[in-house]
Amino acid sequence: MAALVAAEAAAPRGPTEAAETSETAEAAELSRALSRLLPGLEADSKVGRRRALEALQRALETAWPEAPDADPAAAAAAFQGPWARLLLPRLLRCLADPAEGCRALAAHLLDLGLRRAARPRDALPRLLPALAARLAGPESARGRPPEACEELRLALVQLLSLAVRLGGPALAPHLDDAVRVLRCTLLDPFAAVRRESCECAAGLARATPDHFHMQSESLIGPLMQSISHQHWKVRVAVIEATGTVIQFGSGKSVDDVLPHFAQRLFDDVPQVRQAVACVVGGWLLALRDRYSFFHKLIPLLLSSLEDDIPEIALTAAGLWEKAGLQWQRENEDDLKDKLDFSTPPPAHHPSPETRPVLGCRELVFRNLSKILPAVCHDITDWVAGTRVKAAQLLAVLLLHAEDHSTQHLDAILRVLARACADDDPAVVRSCTRSAELVGVFVSPEVFLKLILSTLKKSPSPSGLLVLASVIRGCPREALQPHLKVIAAELARPHICQGSENRLYGEHLLLCVQTLVSVCREDCRGCSLQLMEVLVTVMALSGATGLSDKVQETMDALAAVQDVDGSQDLYREHVGPLMEWVAASHHDWTVHSVELLQFNVVVTHAGPALGEVLPHLVPILRSCLQPARDPQMRLRLFSSLSRVLLSAKQTVDSQGQFHHYLNTVAKDILVPNLQWHAGKTAAAVRTAAVSCLWALLSSDVLSEKQIREVQETLMPDILTTLEEDSQMTRLISCQIINRFLKTSSGVADPDKFIKIYPELLKRLDDVSHEVRLAASSALVAWLACIQNDDGKSYYQSNVQFLYRALLVYLDDPEGAVQDAVLEVLKAGSVLFPELLVRETEAVVHKHRSPAHCQQLLRHLQASRQPSERGRRSPERDPAPVLPRAGVCGLQTSQHGTF
């Protein structure tokens, strides 16, 4: 028997038996080595325990085979027994060691052991409770986890992640412990712990797909508390973990998560926004209950299509297309007809080459009724960022919905009208883009009925902007039948005169510009109505600076009508325009819009104005009567003056103005030159005088016509020489000068004699310019007296004038002295001897006899040769004394008092 046993022992063994024997030997050797080191873990001193742990670390690292031909599986099998029986329990107790260094070494050894053990899942029943005790104790609820060291908490969470990764489905019985740990570590003060916890939560969801849904909802709260963490990497980790947790968990949590995800679309960090797009796109593709959440997930992903970062927009576009194609395959039976008979994109599609696939368009169309109310609400939110995102999303939705948006058009147009009044330019840009898409996809008959009815009820700048944008997107062929209706509505007084606000005028002008640019030659049939709108915009724009833009629009309208410019455009429509504005001229006041329109037509019509004199002059005659509004008359006189300054290019372009000269003089100027009390009446007289001067300066009147005007207006002009306004006195002197220069002698001596005393008074005027103008007019008055036998009739008047002028020859102002000297020289040809006597009588009274002597030399040079030898006796200059002025007023060297 003993021989048999010895023979059996000496017999050769098989390879399996040899391997088992080798594993057993290695395990026994490792057990002996660990048995020698493990008692050191119970040492009372911290140093002793640390040395024992360090020795264990060296032993484990040495025991692991490093040779290239070593079998890792065999080594792991040999390590499994000593690890589970000896090492694991003691290392778990060391996690609660008072020394931080010992706890760190224990965590490291546990990590090493899990990685080397053949069956790491066997350690889960003891490992998970130990980790929960260190990371989710009672103190964790108060924000103080049992493990105080941040780095150790990170190492323990990493250990949990390793256990999840190695344990797999075996974690199901321990899911409660793992979730309890994660609920605490997801709110850890250390950012790295939160990030690692997010990765662990995602790994746990993937590892236990059949059981995780029972615990997933408990993780949503901590995740959402961390989604706004100040570290962007934490926010990204939370978003990605949430995506996985809900993917493998309960779909009920989607409603709790989406508001937080929507807020992350406003995150300043692009990586965070990209994470949201990726997670939402993944849900659209793989979430079990995704059909129930399409109307909530689609807006989030479509919002990312308009992201400022191109990479994010491209990522979102790729995910959205995949989701559309997948839904299209899943619902191929329902879409069979649309797939077999696909319609091409509309002719005016903004981007036909990038038109969304059918699945994407159908997804939006079928969920639009659920999405649109929320978008309409957010587009008027008090937060600017929300309004911008909502406006961008609305444009994307309309691009996908195409003509299916017609059934929601009323709500869309209402919200666009409100949003286009937003203070944020980004919101307005997106809304105008949405309105253009409405014009592309919706029939004009439908949207015009809604928009024009709204404008009839309450015209607004935003409503006009929506109309202009819709017209810009609409095809020319579709818009052509409705062009006259649009122009007629815009020309209605309650719309085109709706407001003097600059923004209102800009948007009204934009409507006309858009019509002209889109419809081009089709605008010929409604150019009159468009001209009425442009005239109104220019009239109401005032000082807002729209005149140049209106002029550009008129030039564009003229171009589509094949005329040379706005002047020819006015020529074509000036008659109807004049009738249009004059319909209510009997009721005009300074605040009447029609008055402003009339001024625009009068000042901008140019040569066309000469064709409507039969309309123009009666309107002016009616509106410039003294009984009418003074402020209105001032405005009309201002416009009339500008026109008369270039009369040959305006009112007299046809050479017919002279037929209305008598009406202008007697019925318009005379009533307004008559004196009435008050500053306003004085301003009207100034305006009337300026208007008369503009007429006389325009060179359209012949001398005969000027004499006719003089006969009518000279008495009134003489009265205006006494006006308080310096400008009125100055212009009146110039008018009298012009009248006298065109006179061919003296027609009525009695009226003629009354002129010079009034001019003489102006030599005492406080204005230097008026005194010089009066001097010039006196020269013209003296020139009217013919040097013949009839001049004796005026001798006494001329003598009085000589005496008065000699006083001003010693005026303190040198320019006045020179001007008076010229007057005396001009008048010396009438009665030279008389002037010599008068001059010699006062020369000694002047402070400086220079001008008197110059006058005497001029007179001597002008005498007959036989009288040149006569000389007046020289006299000593008299002292400067007060002297009698004109009309007996006392005069000094400083003027008349």
Side-chain angles (χ1 to χ4, degrees):
M1 187 66 171
L4 180 61
V5 171
E8 289 178 357
R13 300 177 183 269
T16 303
E17 292 186 39
E20 291 177 355
T21 304
S22 173
E23 292 174 6
T24 304
E26 291 179 3
E29 183 179 354
L30 181 59
S31 297
R32 287 192 297 270
L34 293 178
S35 298
R36 291 192 299 270
L37 300 174
L38 290 177
L41 298 179
E42 308 296 333
D44 294 334
S45 70
K46 175 177 66 175
V47 176
R49 296 194 301 274
R50 183 181 182 89
R51 287 175 179 172
L53 289 169
E54 291 174 348
L56 283 172
Q57 180 180 357
R58 288 191 298 272
L60 291 179
E61 292 174 350
T62 304
W64 195 256
E66 297 181 359
D69 55 346
D71 185 5
F79 178 71
Q80 176 64 36
W83 154 255
R85 187 177 67 258
L86 300 175
L87 192 57
L88 179 62
R90 290 172 174 78
L91 289 178
L92 291 177
R93 286 198 298 270
C94 289
L95 290 179
D97 195 283
E100 181 179 314
C102 295
R103 298 198 302 274
L105 283 171
H108 175 67
L109 290 174
L110 285 169
D111 181 276
L112 191 63
L114 282 177
R115 294 178 186 276
R116 295 185 176 182
R119 297 184 300 278
R121 64 181 66 90
D122 294 348
L124 296 180
R126 286 182 283 185
L127 177 63
L128 267 296
L131 292 178
R134 294 305 300 166
L135 294 173
E139 297 86 353
S140 300
R142 295 188 294 272
R144 296 193 302 271
E147 179 54 64
C149 178
E150 292 180 341
E151 288 77 8
L152 266 176
R153 293 201 302 274
L154 176 60
L156 293 177
V157 175
Q158 291 172 340
L159 183 61
L160 176 60
S161 298
L162 179 63
V164 168
R165 191 163 58 251
L166 297 176
L171 275 167
H174 314 286
L175 200 57
D176 288 345
D177 288 334
V179 170
R180 185 155 56 91
V181 170
L182 292 175
R183 283 175 55 83
C184 296
T185 56
L186 284 171
L187 301 176
D188 196 275
F190 189 27
V193 174
R194 293 200 189 199
R195 288 165 51 196
E196 186 63 35
S197 300
C198 290
E199 295 178 5
C200 183
L204 183 63
R206 286 189 289 266
T208 57
D210 297 331
H211 303 84
F212 183 74
H213 64 279
M214 295 183 290
Q215 297 285 343
S216 64
E217 294 182 34
S218 60
L219 292 177
I220 297 300
L223 284 169
M224 293 303 99
Q225 291 183 55
S226 297
I227 201 170
S228 58
H229 194 273
Q230 61 181 349
H231 290 185
W232 68 267
K233 291 184 179 180
V234 173
R235 300 198 295 274
V236 170
V238 168
I239 292 168
E240 293 174 346
T242 303
T244 306
V245 166
I246 291 181
Q247 179 72 44
F248 292 94
S250 172
K252 298 177 183 179
S253 303
V254 173
D255 291 332
D256 301 327
V257 167
L258 289 182
H260 297 278
F261 272 30
Q263 287 298 319
R264 289 307 100 204
L265 291 176
F266 302 97
D267 202 291
D268 294 332
V269 179
Q271 289 88 336
V272 176
R273 302 197 301 273
Q274 186 166 22
V276 173
C278 292
V279 169
V280 172
W283 285 348
L284 283 173
L285 289 167
L287 190 65
R288 284 193 294 268
D289 300 330
R290 60 184 181 276
Y291 275 61
S292 303
F293 298 105
F294 271 152
H295 65 285
K296 298 180 179 180
L297 298 177
I298 288 173
L300 293 181
L301 187 58
L302 293 186
S303 296
S304 299
L305 296 178
E306 297 295 321
D307 198 276
D308 297 333
I309 305 300
E311 291 79 4
I312 299 177
L314 288 174
T315 300
L319 290 170
W320 173 237
E321 185 175 1
K322 289 179 181 178
L325 291 173
Q326 176 178 298
W327 185 88
Q328 183 176 314
R329 290 192 298 270
E330 293 170 353
N331 299 269
E332 191 170 358
D333 294 339
D334 294 343
L335 302 176
K336 183 173 179 59
D337 292 341
K338 294 183 179 181
L339 290 171
D340 294 341
F341 307 100
S342 60
T343 58
H348 288 74
H349 195 286
S351 54
E353 65 282 352
T354 58
R355 185 190 188 193
V357 298
L358 177 62
C360 294
R361 301 200 305 273
E362 284 292 319
L363 272 175
V364 170
F365 162 58
R366 298 190 181 197
N367 293 277
L368 188 60
S369 59
K370 299 177 182 178
I371 299 173
L372 197 58
V375 175
C376 294
H377 176 270
D378 288 348
I379 208 170
T380 56
D381 194 82
W382 67 276
V383 179
T386 303
R387 299 198 302 273
V388 172
K389 282 289 184 183
Q392 292 174 344
L393 176 59
L394 179 59
V396 176
L397 291 173
L398 293 177
L399 183 64
H400 283 75
E402 295 186 353
D403 57 342
H404 295 296
S405 60
T406 304
Q407 58 186 298
H408 309 286
L409 191 59
D410 190 17
I412 292 171
L413 291 177
R414 279 202 310 270
V415 76
L416 286 178
R418 292 183 60 187
C420 282
D422 200 282
D423 296 332
D424 195 322
V427 176
V428 177
R429 282 195 302 270
S430 297
C431 289
T432 54
R433 179 185 168 200
S434 297
E436 290 177 13
L437 292 173
V438 170
V440 171
F441 298 119
V442 180
S443 169
E445 184 177 358
V446 178
F447 66 70
L448 285 177
K449 181 179 179 181
L450 296 172
I451 295 176
L452 294 181
S453 63
T454 303
L455 287 176
K456 287 179 183 178
K457 295 176 183 177
S458 57
S460 63
S462 58
L464 292 172
L465 180 58
V466 171
L467 176 60
S469 302
V470 170
I471 292 172
R472 186 183 300 114
C474 189
R476 176 183 176 183
E477 299 77 15
L479 198 61
Q480 195 273 336
H482 309 278
L483 189 56
K484 291 184 179 180
V485 175
I486 299 173
E489 289 296 328
L490 291 177
R492 290 184 181 273
H494 72 282
I495 293 181
C496 68
Q497 301 175 17
S499 173
E500 296 185 17
N501 180 275
R502 174 186 172 87
L503 188 63
Y504 189 94
E506 285 182 350
H507 293 169
L508 182 59
L509 178 60
L510 184 61
C511 290
V512 179
Q513 291 174 335
T514 308
L515 278 175
V516 174
S517 62
V518 172
C519 298
R520 297 190 291 276
E521 290 80 5
D522 296 338
C523 293
R524 293 176 180 176
C526 60
S527 62
L528 175 60
Q529 289 79 13
L530 298 181
M531 278 291 293
E532 292 175 0
V533 177
L534 293 175
V535 167
T536 305
V537 172
M538 185 175 290
L540 295 177
S541 64
T544 57
L546 289 179
S547 298
D548 293 340
K549 294 182 179 179
V550 173
Q551 191 61 47
E552 292 175 2
T553 308
M554 283 190 178
D555 293 338
L557 183 59
V560 300
Q561 290 196 252
D562 291 333
V563 294
D564 291 338
S566 60
Q567 295 292 321
D568 290 340
L569 198 61
Y570 272 109
R571 187 185 299 277
E572 185 174 341
H573 299 299
V574 69
L577 285 176
M578 195 63 70
E579 294 177 1
W580 167 62
V581 298
S584 61
H585 73 276
H586 295 290
D587 302 320
W588 285 358
T589 66
V590 69
H591 303 292
S592 300
V593 176
E594 293 80 5
L595 173 64
L596 302 177
Q597 294 169 334
F598 177 76
N599 284 337
V600 169
V601 174
V602 168
T603 54
H604 290 80
L609 208 58
E611 301 177 5
V612 290
L613 289 179
H615 298 286
L616 175 64
V617 175
I619 296 172
L620 293 174
R621 180 177 56 194
S622 172
C623 295
L624 291 174
Q625 294 306 305
R628 302 297 296 273
D629 182 9
Q631 297 294 336
M632 177 193 70
R633 288 187 284 148
L634 283 174
R635 187 163 291 185
L636 284 175
F637 270 127
S638 176
S639 301
L640 185 57
S641 298
R642 289 200 297 272
V643 169
L644 291 177
L645 281 173
S646 55
K648 289 184 178 180
Q649 290 79 37
T650 54
V651 291
D652 199 43
S653 62
Q654 306 298 316
Q656 300 298 315
F657 183 70
H658 63 278
H659 295 306
Y660 303 92
L661 184 59
N662 189 47
T663 302
V664 172
K666 290 184 177 181
D667 298 339
I668 295 178
L669 294 178
V670 169
N672 289 282
L673 288 173
Q674 294 176 359
W675 189 89
H676 296 278
K679 292 184 177 180
T680 304
V684 171
R685 291 194 295 274
T686 301
V689 169
S690 301
C691 191
L692 176 58
W693 177 242
L695 176 60
L696 296 176
S697 303
S698 62
D699 297 330
V700 297
L701 301 183
S702 64
E703 292 187 359
K704 179 181 178 182
Q705 292 168 347
I706 293 178
R707 287 194 293 271
E708 292 174 358
V709 174
Q710 174 186 350
E711 185 70 21
T712 304
L713 298 177
M714 180 62 86
D716 297 296
I717 295 299
L718 290 176
T719 62
T720 59
L721 288 173
E722 299 291 341
E723 291 287 342
D724 294 335
S725 170
Q726 172 189 335
M727 179 181 295
T728 306
R729 300 194 303 271
L730 176 61
I731 297 175
S732 298
C733 290
Q734 294 171 339
I735 291 174
I736 293 173
N737 190 4
R738 184 63 180 269
F739 282 162
L740 294 173
K741 286 182 178 180
T742 56
S743 298
S744 57
V746 179
D748 189 341
D750 292 336
K751 293 181 179 180
F752 180 73
I753 289 174
K754 294 178 181 179
I755 297 175
Y756 83 91
E758 302 299 328
L759 293 175
L760 201 55
K761 293 177 186 179
R762 291 306 98 214
L763 292 180
D764 285 326
D765 201 279
V766 295
S767 170
H768 183 68
E769 291 81 4
V770 174
R771 300 175 74 188
L772 296 179
S775 301
S776 179
L778 284 171
V779 172
W781 185 85
L782 289 169
C784 291
I785 302 175
Q786 297 179 357
N787 191 12
D788 54 19
D789 294 339
K791 69 179 180 179
S792 59
Y793 179 80
Y794 304 100
Q795 182 173 353
S796 60
N797 299 98
V798 174
Q799 183 178 6
F800 179 80
L801 181 58
Y802 284 166
R803 290 176 181 175
L805 291 175
L806 286 171
V807 173
Y808 297 102
L809 206 58
D810 195 30
D811 194 88
E813 291 289 340
V816 175
Q817 289 178 320
D818 295 336
V820 171
L821 179 60
E822 295 301 322
V823 177
L824 289 170
K825 287 180 178 180
S828 65
V829 299
L830 298 175
F831 304 102
E833 295 82 0
L834 181 59
L835 181 55
V836 169
R837 290 195 302 272
E838 295 295 337
T839 305
E840 291 175 346
V842 299
V843 65
H844 65 283
K845 299 178 182 180
H846 286 196
R847 290 167 299 175
S848 173
H851 285 81
C852 288
Q853 292 172 359
Q854 186 177 351
L855 177 59
L856 290 173
R857 287 195 296 272
H858 173 75
L859 291 169
Q860 290 172 1
S862 303
R863 291 180 182 179
Q864 298 296 329
S866 60
E867 298 178 349
R868 287 181 181 175
R870 298 173 56 189
R871 298 177 59 86
S872 62
E874 295 183 0
R875 299 176 182 177
D876 296 331
V880 177
L881 297 174
R883 58 192 183 276
V886 178
C887 302
L889 295 177
Q890 196 68 21
T891 308
S892 73
Q893 60 178 340
H894 300 292
T896 303
F897 299 94

